[in-house]
C-alpha cells in the first residue's frame, strides 16, 4: 500500500532532484574525458588507474557506472510523478538523493583538478550520505515493483559500489603519500579486503539480504582480484584474498535473501 502524506506535492524539491540527476550524468560524461581532456583514471597523477595500488579494481569494474547512472536518471524522472510526489518515503529520500548525485560529480571534478586528498574527503561524505539513504530505505518496504527496482535497486548498487570505491580511493591517497604497507603490502591489502567483506556481510544481514548492495560490492572485489592477476601490478596473494572476499559477500547475501523470502524483500 502506498504511503502518502498531505502537503508534499510541491515541485521544487522533485525538480531539484531531476536537475541533480542531469547535472551528475552530464558532469560525469564530460569529466570522464570522453570528449577530450584527461581520462579520470589518469588525472590526479594517475593514482586512480587500475595499476596504481594493490586495491585498485581493473578497468572493467567501472562498467557498473553505466547501470548506476541509468538508474539515477530513471529515479530522477520517476520521483516527479504525482504518486511519488505524495509518497512520504520519497519525500524523506529526495534531499539525500540530490546530495548523493551532486557529490558524485563534485568528486569527478575534484579529481580532474588534481586534488587527490580532497577527493577522499568527498567520497567519504558521499559514502555517509548513501549509508543514510540505505537506512531510510530500510525503514519500510518499497511501494511496488517499480519503487523496488528504481529506488532500492539503484541506490543499493550505488552504496555497494561506493563502498569499494572508497577503499580504492583511500589506497590511492596513501600510495601517493609514499605509504608502502609497512613492508607487508599483501597482508595489509588482505586485512582491508576482509574489512570490506565484513561490511558487505553486515549490510546484507542488516537489510535481510538486499541483493543490490551485495552485488555491487562483490563486483568491485572481484575486479580487484582480476586487476591483481593481470596488468602492471600483479599480486597473486591479493588476488586470491579479493576473490574469496567477493565470494563470501555474494554467498552471504544470497543465503540471507533466501532465508528471509523473496516476497518480503526489496532489491
Amino acid at each position: 500500500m502506498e504511503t502518502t502524506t498531505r502537503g508534499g506535492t510541491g515541485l521544487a524539491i522533485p525538480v531539484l532532484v531531476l536537475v541533480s540527476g542531469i547535472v551528475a550524468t552530464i558532469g560525469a560524461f564530460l569529466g570522464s574525458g570522453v570528449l577530450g581532456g584527461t581520462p579520470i583514471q589518469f588525472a590526479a597523477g594517475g593514482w586512480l588507474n587500475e595499476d596504481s595500488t594493490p586495491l585498485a579494481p581493473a578497468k572493467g569494474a567501472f562498467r557498473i557506472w553505466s547501470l548506476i547512472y541509468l538508474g539515477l536518471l530513471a529515479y530522477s524522472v520517476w520521483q516527479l510523478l504525482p504518486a511519488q510526489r505524495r509518497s512520504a518515503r520519497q519525500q524523506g529520500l529526495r534531499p539525500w538523493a540530490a546530495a548523493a548525485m551532486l557529490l558524485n560529480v563534485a568528486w569527478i571534478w575534484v579529481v580532474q583538478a588534481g586534488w587527490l586528498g580532497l577527493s577522499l574527503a568527498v567520497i567519504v561524505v558521499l559514502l555517509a550520505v548513501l549509508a543514510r539513504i540505505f537506512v531510510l530505505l530500510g525503514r519500510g518496504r518499497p511501494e511496488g515493483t517499480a519503487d523496488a527496482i528504481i529506488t532500492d535497486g539503484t541506490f543499493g548498487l550505488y552504496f555497494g559500489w561506493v563502498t569499494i570505491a572508497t577503499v580504492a580511493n583511500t589506497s590511492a591517497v596513501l600510495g601517493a603519500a609514499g605509504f608502502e604497507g609497512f613492508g607487508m603490502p599483501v597482508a595489509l591489502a588482505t586485512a582491508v579486503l576482509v574489512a570490506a567483506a565484513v561490511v558487505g556481510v553486515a549490510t546484507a544481514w542488516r537489510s535481510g539480504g538486499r541483493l543490490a548492495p551485495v552485488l555491487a560490492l562483490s563486483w568491485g572485489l572481484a575486479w580487484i582480484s582480476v586487476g591483481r592477476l593481470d596488468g602492471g601490478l600483479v599480486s597473486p596473494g591479493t588476488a586470491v584474498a579479493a576473490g574469496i572476499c567477493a565470494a563470501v559477500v555474494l554467498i552471504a547475501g544470497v543465503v540471507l535473501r533466501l532465508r528471509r523470502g523473496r516476497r518480503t524483500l526489496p532489491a
Side-chain angles (χ1 to χ4, degrees), residues 38 40 42-48 106-120 173 176:
T38 305
I40 195 73
F42 299 121
W47 282 103
L48 296 169
W107 181 87
I108 291 171
W109 287 101
V110 163
V111 171
Q112 284 289 5
W115 300 330
L116 188 61
L118 182 57
S119 76
L120 179 57
V173 170

Side-chain angles (χ1 to χ4, degrees), residues 136-203:
L136 289 173
L137 293 177
R139 289 178 177 174
R141 296 179 61 184
E143 299 164 358
T145 302
D147 191 23
I149 295 172
I150 296 174
T151 305
D152 295 79
T154 295
F155 287 103
L157 287 176
Y158 199 4
F159 178 44
W161 172 249
V162 170
T163 298
I164 201 66
T166 303
V167 170
N169 204 153
T170 302
S171 181
V173 170
L174 292 174
F179 180 67
E180 297 181 353
F182 303 113
M184 301 180 292
V186 174
L188 183 60
T190 299
V192 173
L193 292 167
V194 169
V198 169
V199 170
V201 173
T203 298

Side-chain angles (χ1 to χ4, degrees), residues 213-243:
V214 165
L215 289 173
L217 182 56
S218 59
W219 168 271
L221 288 166
W223 280 101
I224 290 176
S225 180
V226 171
R228 300 294 73 76
L229 289 173
D230 190 19
L233 191 58
V234 173
S235 175
T238 303
V240 170

Side-chain angles (χ1 to χ4, degrees), residues 239-267:
V240 170
I244 292 173
C245 288
V248 168
V249 171
L250 183 60
I251 291 170
V254 171
V255 169
L256 286 166
R257 177 83 179 203
L258 293 175
R259 282 184 59 187
R260 298 295 178 91
R262 295 175 64 90
R263 291 179 299 176
T264 64
L265 289 171

